[in-house]
């Protein structure tokens, strides 16, 4: 009797009947010019899929092409390089039963990267496949999983086992050695394009003594050292600016100083600017002051919020013995927090009890901190590689009604990228042995999505509507459910992550919290099939998890998707709504024109407007006229076209802060990690308005939130229709605010963060 062939774990879908290169190529002239029309980057004859925009080609070529390798001169070569590394990772995983199955998997990944339907985080684009494709090396001491000897080992070539994770969380102990070790490991991360976050509450305050009998120099003094280090790395790096998060618990004796730190430093910068020094971010004023190279967040407990509501005294505790160092009313500390955020959009807030309620590995240790953008929250000394799906690519305007969003294709793509991210865990290297070990033992992943705002508009759904929130919650539940289901399939095939057995009770408890949250979605607003799909997926997750466990401790986050969002030609990033209905389109060879977002035209078509009416509305938007209150647009459709900044002169089309918070609340219950999101506030917003946002975020069980009051940073003059944010530090072009970061649409650089 012939031996039966094993059923392949992976079956191709998008490329089952296709042959590479999948898309017709077009030659682009990739040119990026600065504000003085000088060439910042130039590469001729860049081959790319013809559907890619000039912006996507320019940014991918300038940011991700390996500059010293002449062969890397096309988007196709870039993708081939990435999947060459991923092929090694897939082979090492031992998941697939044949070379043919690996090829099928790699073909699907190539298709999605070229189709712009999904993208890995930037470190994968920077580093993955350099050794396999060009045999280049980078002499740097890192740590990686030794497949042969089944243990973490030190490596000396950071391209043979590349850094692939964007997000790191690191611990720090109350010692000089630990503090300066952190400086070193942060430098390694920044060099290869990643970001790092740390909770510094372990450091004793300036109000506490040293073992020698003297007094500590305090928390802020050491934060200033780390801030300057990050500034130096970002100046000398070849990839992008350093990304850093500083967290401090609300009961630290120096919490008042920490809350006010950036606000006071901003005032110093303003004073220097008033004396004629440069107001640019890399100019003399901001270069002189501290605290500009990190996001700051305070960690707030339910106990503090309850003390606030009851107007109680709040104790600040010694880091040495836990005894009370001083006391302050919770209300006074809260007002100081909101005042600082009003002045300089910093610090943001993280709600520690909510975070740890959804923590899958409670038995190992609590979650103390996050990555720089607050979406990855997990154990100290851990890392997470991210990937994001472009939701608009799963929208087919030609299909009828409920079929427009291609659920089946969406879920298949979720599975494909969870597999890819899982392979990268052990293939990648890490800056410390402890991070490498935790990455192997817990295997956290961060799959998310981009372009939600554009998708909702194209579907004719208002961002600020029950229908929009129901749809967003449902597709997020589908994504995370499918990701955990795939992770359980992997556990059955390979085995669960090493920390699962110890944490099975807490992890299954979190799975049931996700499942329970399904009842809060307004299913009556959605296609009937959506409820069945979500219910079935999550039922299977519970059954499979109990039987096989999970391969990964976490699977999803909602990241900012800044640079990769531009490479995927997304109009909106992460979970954000449209910022404005007007966007800038880049022209070949340099220059830009302003156009109306493509989503508007598609939305009007789906809503049944005639060609004549559509053209008239588009013309009104282009001219900045108040089309919202005009005679053509129906009153019931007006909210569909509200944006974060507004487009009309009247400003009646600006989304309220509640619109941002409520969308986060609809999505957060179905995300393993958190949501990178900025709540936009008008310049006229008060400190009380900021307090209201923070308080609602806690009440709605959000894990973290940041605010940005228009005009509150970098002393830019207020102009609502033409917001002037910091100039790009690379090419000098204007930036836009996206998910809390100032992003250059000209060259793709992240210039700074608003919080």
């Amino acid at each position: 009797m012939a031996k039966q062939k094993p059923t392949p774990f992976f079956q191709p879908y998008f490329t089952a009947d296709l042959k590479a290169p999948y898309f017709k190529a077009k030659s682009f002239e990739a040119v990026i010019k600065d504000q003085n029309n000088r060439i910042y980057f130039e590469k001729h004859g860049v081959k790319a899929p013809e559907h890619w925009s000039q912006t996507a080609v320019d940014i991918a070529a300038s940011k991700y092409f390996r500059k010293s390798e002449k062969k890397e001169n096309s988007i196709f070569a870039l993708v081939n390089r990435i999947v060459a590394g991923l092929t090694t990772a897939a082979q090492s995983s031992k998941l697939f039963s044949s070379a043919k199955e690996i090829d099928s998997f790699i073909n699907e990944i190539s298709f999605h990267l070229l189709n712009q339907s999904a993208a890995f985080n930037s470190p994968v684009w920077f580093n993955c496949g350099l050794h396999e494709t060009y045999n280049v090396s980078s002499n740097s001491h890192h740590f990686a999983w030794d497949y042969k000897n089944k243990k973490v080992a030190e490596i000396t070539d950071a391209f043979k086992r590349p850094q692939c994770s964007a997000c790191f969380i690191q611990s720090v102990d109350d010692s000089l050695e630990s503090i300066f070790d952190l400086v070193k490991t942060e430098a390694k991360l920044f060099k290869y394009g990643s970001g790092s976050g740390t909770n510094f509450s372990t450091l004793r305050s300036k109000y506490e003594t040293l073992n020698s009998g003297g007094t500590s120099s305090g928390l802020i003094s050491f934060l200033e050292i780390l801030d300057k280090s990050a500034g130096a790395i970002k100046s000398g790096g070849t990839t992008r600016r350093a990304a850093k998060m500083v967290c401090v618990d609300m009961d630290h004796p120096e919490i008042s100083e920490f809350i006010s730190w950036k606000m006071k430093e901003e005032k110093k910068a303003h004073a220097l600017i008033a004396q004629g020094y440069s107001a640019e971010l890399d100019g003399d004023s901001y270069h002189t002051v501290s605290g500009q190279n990190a996001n700051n967040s305070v960690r707030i407990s339910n106990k503090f919020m309850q003390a606030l509501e009851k107007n109680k005294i709040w104790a600040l505790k010694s880091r040495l013995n836990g005894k009370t160092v001083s006391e302050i009313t919770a209300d006074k500390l809260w007002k100081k927090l909101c005042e600082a955020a009003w002045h300089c959009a910093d610090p943001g807030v993280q709600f520690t009890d909510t975070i740890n309620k959804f923590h899958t590995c409670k038995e190992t240790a609590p979650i103390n901190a996050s990555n720089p953008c607050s979406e990855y929250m997990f154990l100290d000394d851990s890392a997470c590689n991210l990937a994001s799906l472009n939701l608009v690519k799963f929208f087919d305007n030609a299909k009828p009604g409920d079929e427009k969003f291609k659920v089946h294709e969406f879920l298949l793509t979720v599975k494909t990228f969870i597999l890819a991210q899982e392979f990268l865990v052990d293939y990648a290297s890490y800056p410390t042995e402890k991070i490498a070990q935790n990455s192997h033992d817990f295997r956290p992943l961060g799959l998310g999505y981009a372009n939600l705002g554009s998708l909702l508009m194209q579907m004719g759904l208002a961002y600020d509507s029950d229908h929009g929130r129901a749809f967003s919650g449902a597709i997020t539940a589908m994504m995370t459910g499918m990701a955990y289901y795939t992770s359980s399939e992997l556990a059955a095939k390979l085995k669960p992550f090493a920390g699962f057995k110890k944490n099975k009770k807490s992890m299954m408890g979190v799975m049931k919290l996700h499942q329970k949250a399904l009842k809060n979605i307004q299913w009556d607003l959605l296609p009937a099939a959506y409820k069945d799909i979500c219910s079935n997926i999550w039922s299977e997750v519970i059954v499979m998890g109990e039987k096989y466990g999970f391969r990964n401790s976490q699977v999803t986050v909602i990241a900012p998707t800044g640079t990769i969002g531009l490479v995927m030609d997304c109009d909106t990033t992460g979970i954000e709504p449209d910022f404005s209905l007007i966007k800038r389109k880049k022209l070949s060879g340099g220059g830009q024109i302003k156009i109306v977002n493509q989503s508007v035209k598609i939305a009007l078509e789906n809503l049944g407007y005639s060609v004549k009416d559509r053209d008239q509305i588009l013309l009104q938007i282009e001219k900045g006229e108040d089309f919202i209150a005009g005679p053509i647009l129906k009153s019931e459709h007006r909210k569909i076209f509200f944006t974060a900044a507004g487009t009309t002169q009247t400003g009646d089309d600006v989304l309220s802060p509640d619109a941002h918070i409520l969308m986060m609340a609809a999505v957060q219950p179905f995300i393993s990690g958190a949501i990178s999101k900025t709540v936009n506030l008008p310049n006229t917003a008060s400190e009380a308005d900021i307090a209201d946002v923070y308080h609602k975020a806690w009440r709605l069980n959000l894990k973290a939130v940041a605010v940005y009051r228009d005009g509150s940073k970098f002393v830019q003059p207020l102009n609502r229709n033409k917001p002037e944010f910091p100039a790009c530090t690379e090419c000098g072009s204007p930036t836009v605010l996206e998910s809390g970061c100032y992003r250059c649409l000209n060259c793709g650089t992240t210039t700074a963060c608003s919080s």
Side-chain angles (χ1 to χ4, degrees):
M1 185 175 178
K3 188 176 179 181
Q4 190 175 2
K5 290 184 178 180
T7 302
F9 186 84
F10 182 85
Q11 298 277 8
Y13 177 85
F14 294 92
T15 59
D17 300 316
L18 292 179
K19 291 185 178 180
Y22 310 125
F23 300 98
K24 187 177 179 181
K26 176 183 174 182
S27 183
F28 289 79
E29 296 298 300
V31 179
I32 299 177
K33 297 181 179 180
D34 65 16
Q35 287 301 91
N36 298 315
N37 211 35
R38 291 176 299 203
I39 293 176
Y40 162 77
F41 171 84
E42 183 176 28
K43 198 166 187 69
H44 300 288
V46 175
K47 292 286 195 305
E50 63 178 353
H51 66 272
W52 280 45
S53 72
Q54 186 69 46
T55 296
V57 173
D58 288 351
I59 290 174
S62 64
K63 291 293 179 189
Y64 298 142
F65 278 12
R66 177 69 178 173
K67 306 298 190 297
S68 59
E69 310 303 328
K70 292 182 179 180
K71 292 181 180 178
E72 195 135 298
N73 57 8
S74 77
I75 300 301
F76 299 98
L78 172 62
V79 169
N80 286 341
R81 188 250 292 168
I82 291 169
V83 297
L86 195 54
T87 300
T88 301
Q91 290 168 341
S92 301
S93 75
K94 307 297 183 185
L95 174 67
F96 296 134
S97 57
S98 67
K100 183 179 179 181
E101 194 175 358
I102 292 175
D103 288 344
S104 295
F105 169 73
I106 292 300
N107 289 342
E108 290 281 288
I109 294 290
S110 296
F111 172 87
H112 286 301
L113 296 181
L114 293 171
N115 188 48
Q116 300 174 296
S117 46
F120 296 105
N121 55 207
S122 285
V124 170
W125 294 82
F126 290 141
N127 308 318
C128 192
L130 289 173
H131 171 77
E132 288 85 352
T133 308
Y134 304 120
N135 200 31
V136 295
S137 61
S138 176
N139 186 16
S140 181
H141 289 265
H142 281 61
F143 295 85
W145 182 249
D146 185 331
Y147 293 100
K148 182 179 179 180
N149 296 310
K150 307 294 183 186
K151 64 178 183 179
V152 168
E154 187 173 17
I155 62 166
T156 56
D157 186 346
F159 285 159
K160 193 170 185 179
R161 301 293 293 277
Q163 188 168 294
C164 294
S165 296
C167 304
F168 288 77
I169 300 171
Q170 298 189 81
S171 62
V172 65
D173 296 328
D174 187 31
S175 70
L176 284 175
E177 291 80 7
S178 180
I179 292 167
F180 283 94
D181 280 345
L182 181 61
V183 172
K184 181 175 70 175
T185 55
E186 282 190 345
K188 284 185 183 179
L189 293 176
F190 300 153
K191 177 182 178 181
Y192 293 99
S194 304
S196 176
T198 299
N199 189 319
F200 288 88
S201 300
T202 51
L203 303 188
R204 76 192 79 180
S205 71
K206 65 182 180 182
Y207 305 110
E208 298 171 75
T209 59
L210 300 170
N211 294 334
S212 62
T215 303
S216 169
S217 58
L219 170 71
I220 302 299
S221 65
F222 289 113
L223 293 183
E224 288 175 340
I225 292 171
L226 286 142
D227 178 70
K228 289 298 182 184
S229 171
I233 299 297
K234 71 130 195 278
S235 298
T238 59
T239 54
R240 58 180 180 178
R241 297 176 64 87
K244 183 173 161 57
M245 168 63 81
V246 175
C247 297
V248 177
D249 294 346
M250 209 63 159
D251 65 353
H252 191 282
E254 275 187 82
I255 190 65
S256 290
E257 291 89 338
F258 175 70
I259 286 171
S260 301
W261 181 31
K262 269 196 183 180
M263 179 178 68
K264 289 182 177 179
E265 294 299 311
E266 284 270 339
K267 288 179 179 178
K268 291 180 189 177
H270 293 185
L272 290 168
I273 291 167
Q275 294 299 313
Y277 290 95
S278 170
E280 296 295 328
L281 182 61
D282 278 356
D284 293 334
S285 301
Y286 281 102
H287 185 70
T288 304
V289 303
S290 64
Q292 303 304 309
N293 297 298
N295 291 342
N296 290 350
S297 288
V298 292
R299 299 274 299 193
I300 301 178
S301 64
N302 288 346
K303 189 177 178 181
F304 174 83
M305 295 302 293
Q306 290 156 4
L308 175 67
E309 291 183 334
K310 296 176 182 177
N311 198 26
K312 287 188 173 181
I313 296 294
W314 181 250
L316 306 181
K317 302 293 184 66
S318 167
R319 301 298 105 176
L320 295 174
N321 55 29
K323 293 181 179 178
T324 298
V325 172
S326 61
E327 293 181 330
I328 185 172
T329 62
D331 181 65
K332 185 175 181 180
L333 199 54
W334 181 256
K335 286 179 178 176
K336 186 182 286 284
L337 168 66
C338 297
E339 177 194 11
W342 186 90
H343 276 283
C344 66
D346 214 343
V349 295
Q350 296 185 3
F351 298 109
T352 189
D353 290 300
T354 305
I355 291 166
N356 281 288
K357 180 181 178 181
F358 281 83
H359 181 19
T360 58
C361 296
K362 298 179 182 70
E363 297 304 315
T364 298
I367 296 174
N368 299 311
S370 77
N371 73 312
C373 297
S374 293
E375 74 270 21
Y376 174 55
M377 296 179 169
F378 196 52
L379 299 170
D380 284 350
D381 299 302
S382 67
C384 185
N385 66 71
L386 311 182
S388 295
L389 309 179
N390 181 355
L391 292 177
V392 168
K393 288 292 182 174
F394 302 96
F395 179 74
D396 187 347
N397 197 39
K399 289 195 173 185
D402 296 344
E403 298 177 26
K404 287 185 183 296
F405 187 74
K406 299 180 285 188
V407 172
H408 182 62
E409 286 87 341
F410 176 65
L411 294 176
L412 287 174
T413 309
V414 169
K415 178 173 182 175
T416 299
F417 273 79
I418 286 294
L419 294 180
Q421 291 171 271
E422 156 62 23
F423 299 153
L424 290 173
V425 171
D426 282 342
Y427 167 73
S429 64
Y430 304 89
T432 70
E433 185 175 6
K434 195 170 185 180
I435 295 175
Q437 189 66 57
N438 280 340
S439 296
H440 172 77
D441 288 348
F442 294 93
R443 320 184 75 79
L445 308 179
L447 182 65
Y449 53 66
N451 238 353
L452 176 67
S454 294
L455 175 65
L456 292 175
M457 187 176 289
Q458 290 185 26
M459 295 179 72
L461 301 179
Y463 191 86
D464 184 15
S465 69
D466 289 339
H467 199 166
R469 289 185 282 268
F471 177 81
S472 302
I475 62 169
T476 308
M478 290 179 197
M479 176 180 73
T480 299
M482 187 62 181
Y484 273 124
Y485 179 80
T486 303
S487 183
S488 194
E489 284 187 307
L490 285 165
K493 188 89 172 176
L494 300 175
K495 69 180 180 181
F497 68 91
F500 176 73
K501 185 176 180 180
K502 182 177 181 179
N503 291 283
K504 181 176 180 178
K505 183 179 178 181
S506 64
M507 187 159 190
M508 292 310 301
V510 171
M511 295 305 104
K512 289 170 184 175
L513 286 175
H514 289 312
Q515 184 187 42
K516 185 179 178 181
L518 292 174
K519 67 180 176 59
N520 297 323
I521 294 175
Q522 290 186 254
W523 296 110
D524 58 311
L525 300 175
L526 301 173
Y530 281 25
K531 184 176 182 179
D532 292 338
I533 291 168
C534 287
S535 297
N536 291 338
I537 288 175
W538 279 101
S539 292
E540 285 295 313
V541 167
I542 301 299
V543 171
M544 291 279 287
E546 289 285 0
K547 186 174 182 179
Y548 300 112
F550 298 95
R551 183 67 173 166
N552 312 94
S553 56
Q554 290 193 353
V555 289
T556 55
V557 303
I558 301 294
T561 64
T563 306
I564 65 167
L566 293 173
V567 170
M568 289 192 292
D569 277 318
C570 296
D571 282 334
T572 63
T573 58
I575 196 177
E576 299 286 355
D578 264 298
F579 188 77
S580 170
L581 297 184
I582 298 291
K583 65 179 288 189
R584 288 176 284 178
K585 182 180 180 182
K586 223 169 167 185
L587 302 174
S588 179
Q592 297 176 345
I593 58 171
K594 288 186 177 181
I595 63 170
V596 178
N597 281 1
Q598 183 68 18
S599 298
V600 179
K601 183 179 179 181
I602 296 171
L604 291 171
E605 183 181 340
N606 280 328
L607 293 169
Y609 287 85
S610 67
V611 174
K612 180 182 177 182
D613 285 346
R614 294 201 303 262
D615 290 344
Q616 184 61 37
I617 290 173
L618 293 173
L619 184 61
Q620 287 178 314
I621 295 171
E622 195 174 321
K623 291 181 176 180
E625 296 175 0
D626 190 1
F627 76 102
I628 295 288
I632 303 175
L633 193 67
K634 296 175 182 177
S635 59
E636 63 266 29
H637 295 156
R638 289 173 181 173
K639 285 183 70 176
I640 294 168
F641 302 98
F642 283 17
T643 62
T647 301
T648 65
Q649 296 292 334
T650 61
D652 294 334
D653 57 338
V654 178
L655 287 164
S656 69
D658 278 358
H660 297 267
I661 290 288
L662 291 172
M663 179 57 79
M664 293 178 73
V667 166
Q668 181 60 80
F670 308 109
I671 292 293
S672 301
I675 301 167
S676 178
K677 177 83 176 75
T678 300
V679 175
N680 298 81
L681 294 161
N683 181 261
T684 53
S686 65
E687 292 173 22
D689 292 327
I690 289 174
D692 184 57
V693 169
Y694 284 166
H695 203 273
K696 281 179 179 173
W698 174 64
R699 283 288 184 195
L700 291 169
N701 295 310
L702 300 185
K703 294 182 180 180
V705 71
V707 297
Y708 178 79
R709 182 179 64 85
D710 189 23
S712 63
K713 288 284 283 185
F714 305 111
V715 293
Q716 264 65 44
L718 177 65
N719 185 330
R720 192 189 59 78
N721 287 314
K722 295 180 180 179
E724 297 183 37
F725 299 128
C728 175
T729 52
E730 290 289 326
C731 69
S733 299
T735 60
V736 296
L737 181 65
E738 295 179 338
S739 294
C741 293
Y742 299 108
R743 184 87 50 196
C744 179
L745 298 183
N746 183 45
C747 72
T749 298
T750 301
T751 289
C753 291
S754 67
S755 59

